[in-house]
Amino acid sequence: MFLHTPKYLSQFNCKRTPVCFGIKFFSERIWSDLKEFGITLPYIYIIIYSYRKYHSLFFWFLFPEKENQRKMEITKLPEECISRIISFTSPRDACRSALVCALSRSAMDSDLVWRKFLPHDYHQILSNSLQPSLMDSLSMKQLFVQLSHHPVLVNDELAIDKNSGKKCYLMGARRLAIIWGSSPQYWQWISLRSSRFSEVPELKLVWWFEIKGRIETNILSLQATYAVYFVYKLSWHRYQFHEKPVTVQVNFEGDDEIHGEGYGSREVLLGPPENGNMQLPCGVYRGDGWMEVELGEFFNDGGEGHGVVAFSLMETDNYTCKFGVIVEGIELRPKAG
């Protein structure tokens, strides 16, 4: 490498750009001081990399008067224009924009912004729920906050992710196919105060443990990666779920025919292993009195024809009895990023 001294940098016929000023600032003005402290070329590369990553701070440091000028130009934009710009970000970024100035705070509260963050079919969701009056009584921002913190029950529970505005979906146990689920000698349906639903099934005793579900992707948010979680509790009297792995699977219907049986499957433990061996993924506490374990994920690309995602849990060792799990349902949440 030959970028060793500011003398080499001075050979460039640099224009007045933040990049050149940033490099020349660290090369010409404090080069002698850096050498006294033993700072060599690799450190200079780190500084240049830092500039590239945090160039707005460098720009403010070198040209504070231009930064102020840039803020003045933003404040001259019409409020509706700022609202439209904010609507192309995310709910989290929109809230952050309110800290810039009073105009951006007012633009952020606009219905134009929060209508964009709500699901496109929010009218239908609310009209089919027990809370249709929310559309008339709340602003778009208030409606978003309501749906992100207080899910609505249609057939299942539906909420909005407060960071992305995408739909979250919790399928109740009644919507799942539970082997022997209607047989009282194997499963009993009970009421729990901590449940979102009127009844949840508790496993009394089975040898063949199997739960399946399916969902059409057109009711979910498009262009989103979803993670699928099994939501449950382990009762005080439970057996085998801390030791015996459960095979879980998430895929689109028809994938088994293309990729072979078992495509997308893996093993998890519903309970933390008693011996402390954490080689397999295991269930974790959610903070609402329930546990969850991830079954898998999929991408909802929103193509012309919608697909159907299938998911399952299975432990079919006929020599091992299982009991002591309470099923809340299957939850689908958008992944960050």
Side-chain angles (χ1 to χ4, degrees), residues 4-65:
H4 290 286
T5 66
K7 182 178 180 181
Y8 175 81
L9 289 173
S10 62
Q11 296 175 8
F12 286 100
N13 183 20
C14 296
K15 298 181 180 180
R16 292 178 58 85
T17 64
V19 176
C20 296
F21 271 85
I23 296 174
K24 295 184 74 174
F25 176 82
F26 281 103
S27 60
E28 295 178 355
R29 299 190 184 183
I30 59 172
W31 180 260
S32 58
D33 294 335
L34 293 177
K35 288 197 295 184
E36 290 181 5
F37 286 97
I39 296 179
T40 55
L41 182 63
Y43 291 93
I44 302 300
Y45 290 151
I46 293 173
I47 292 171
I48 294 174
Y49 171 79
S50 300
Y51 166 79
R52 295 179 62 188
K53 191 170 181 62
Y54 305 107
H55 56 84
S56 60
L57 295 178
F58 278 73
F59 188 89
W60 174 83
F61 181 77
L62 293 171
F63 306 103
E65 69 284 352

Side-chain angles (χ1 to χ4, degrees), residues 188 202-205 233-242 274 321-326:
Q188 64 176 346
E202 180 178 13
L203 177 60
K204 295 175 67 175
L205 178 68
K233 283 186 178 185
L234 294 177
S235 62
W236 289 106
H237 301 287
R238 68 248 184 164
Y239 186 62
Q240 287 298 328
F241 290 111
H242 290 79
E274 296 178 349
C321 64
K322 280 79 66 176
F323 57 84
V325 64
I326 304 171

Side-chain angles (χ1 to χ4, degrees), residues 85-228:
I85 293 171
I86 295 174
S87 70
F88 287 99
T89 63
S90 66
R92 172 176 287 186
D93 291 333
C95 293
R96 288 172 176 169
S97 70
L99 303 175
V100 176
C101 62
L103 179 61
S104 63
R105 182 161 54 251
S106 175
M108 184 272 294
D109 287 332
S110 168
D111 281 353
L112 187 152
V113 172
W114 295 96
R115 187 182 293 110
K116 185 77 175 292
F117 294 151
L118 285 167
H120 66 90
D121 57 348
Y122 74 93
H123 281 96
Q124 181 180 353
I125 294 170
L126 291 176
S127 62
N128 293 335
S129 72
L130 301 177
Q131 302 169 294
S133 61
L134 289 177
M135 289 185 289
D136 302 324
S137 59
L138 300 178
S139 68
M140 293 293 105
K141 181 181 178 182
Q142 291 170 331
L143 184 58
F144 182 94
V145 174
Q146 176 74 17
L147 292 177
S148 61
H149 290 84
H150 305 283
V152 297
L153 285 173
V154 186
N155 295 318
D156 300 298
E157 183 187 77
L158 189 144
I160 294 176
D161 180 68
K162 63 182 180 181
N163 294 321
S164 65
K166 299 184 183 300
K167 296 179 185 177
C168 303
Y169 206 83
L170 175 61
M171 295 183 64
R174 285 290 186 189
R175 293 279 308 279
L176 303 175
I178 302 176
I179 298 297
W180 312 115
S182 58
S183 302
Q185 65 267 36
Y186 299 118
W187 292 85
Q188 64 176 346
W189 290 80
I190 61 175
S191 297
L192 291 179
R193 293 180 60 184
S194 60
S195 175
R196 285 89 156 165
F197 306 100
S198 58
E199 287 184 316
V200 290
E202 180 178 13
L203 177 60
K204 295 175 67 175
L205 178 68
V206 293
W207 280 265
W208 187 288
F209 175 77
E210 184 176 356
I211 299 175
K212 291 184 176 182
R214 61 197 298 273
I215 188 171
E216 295 185 358
T217 58
N218 63 332
I219 68 173
L220 302 172
S221 297
L222 305 181
Q223 297 298 318
T225 299
Y226 275 89
V228 183

